[in-house]
Amino acid sequence: VEVAQAVVARLKERGVCVIKAGAERAFHKAVHMEAKQLWDAGAYTSASKGSPSSPGSHEITFNARDDKVICLSSSVLDALGKKVQALKKVDEQLANFGWGIKQILEDQLGLTLTKRTPGMLSCYDGKKVPNAQYGFHVDNPYMTNMAVPDDGRRLTLIFYISDGQHWDVHKD
């Protein structure tokens, strides 16, 4: 409950919250290895980001992103089976955390969670795209000056997977 309260307080204050996951090193390594094995097998697909063609427009223009992705729908996770046990666990834990803070989000921020979209595994390969990186963005900017339609998303949870050698939680 303390972590949930701290997360919601930070969201209320800044609109974004970063916390360090308490994952054990062996588990984090297993997640990284599974993601890399999927990369090596060519399982990722090109990703694009959408934005309105003009403010208020329902017409969306899609542009390339630096990353490649895999949608972690239940059918994909089931098909991959034992190859993604650690990734499936991360997906479950993120879902459980999101649903676990649902009432606090409603009470303190007025956010109502009604459904969950499938998780997405995203990989930024600096060898193929020099300086590839996650670009901060709002997944559902319906309340911004972009004036896009509301797609229903209210909370985005991210678990960074890294080999640990090239990523600093404070700097990056």
Side-chain angles (χ1 to χ4, degrees), residues 9 13 30 35 43 57 76 99 124:
E13 174 189 332
S57 172
V76 168
W99 287 121
Y124 297 83

Side-chain angles (χ1 to χ4, degrees), residues 40-56:
D40 292 343
Y44 291 77
T45 60
S46 294
S48 61
K49 57 186 170 190
S51 58
S53 298
S54 61

Side-chain angles (χ1 to χ4, degrees), residues 89-142:
K89 188 67 171 172
V90 167
D91 187 60
E92 290 170 2
Q93 290 174 343
L94 290 172
N96 290 341
F97 182 80
W99 287 121
I101 64 172
K102 179 182 188 290
Q103 191 61 52
I104 300 170
L105 288 170
E106 289 178 7
D107 293 346
Q108 295 185 21
L109 299 179
L111 291 178
T112 302
L113 303 182
T114 58
K115 64 181 179 177
R116 177 185 186 253
T117 58
M120 180 176 73
L121 178 59
S122 178
C123 182
Y124 297 83
D125 181 7
K127 293 176 188 164
K128 295 199 190 277
V129 179
N131 300 314
Q133 63 183 344
Y134 167 82
F136 180 80
H137 62 281
V138 177
D139 282 338
N140 183 16
Y142 75 102

Side-chain angles (χ1 to χ4, degrees), residues 1 11 22 27 35 73 79 85 92 97 104 126 128 148 151-152 155 158:
V1 175
L11 288 172
F27 178 72
S73 65
Q85 288 179 327
E92 290 170 2
F97 182 80
I104 300 170
K128 295 199 190 277
V148 296
D151 70 10
L155 179 67
I158 301 172

Side-chain angles (χ1 to χ4, degrees), residues 155-166:
L155 179 67
T156 300
L157 302 172
I158 301 172
F159 182 94
Y160 289 97
I161 303 169
S162 170
D163 60 10
Q165 298 174 30
H166 306 291

Side-chain angles (χ1 to χ4, degrees), residues 38-94:
L38 291 172
W39 178 268
D40 292 343
Y44 291 77
T45 60
S46 294
S48 61
K49 57 186 170 190
S51 58
S53 298
S54 61
S57 172
H58 288 280
E59 187 177 314
I60 305 296
T61 301
F62 292 93
N63 298 304
R65 293 175 18 170
D66 288 352
D67 59 339
K68 294 198 178 278
V69 300
I70 298 173
C71 177
L72 297 177
S73 65
S74 57
S75 61
V76 168
L77 290 172
D78 290 344
L80 292 170
K82 292 183 178 184
K83 295 177 186 174
V84 293
Q85 288 179 327
L87 286 168
K88 188 173 184 178
K89 188 67 171 172
V90 167
D91 187 60
E92 290 170 2
Q93 290 174 343
L94 290 172

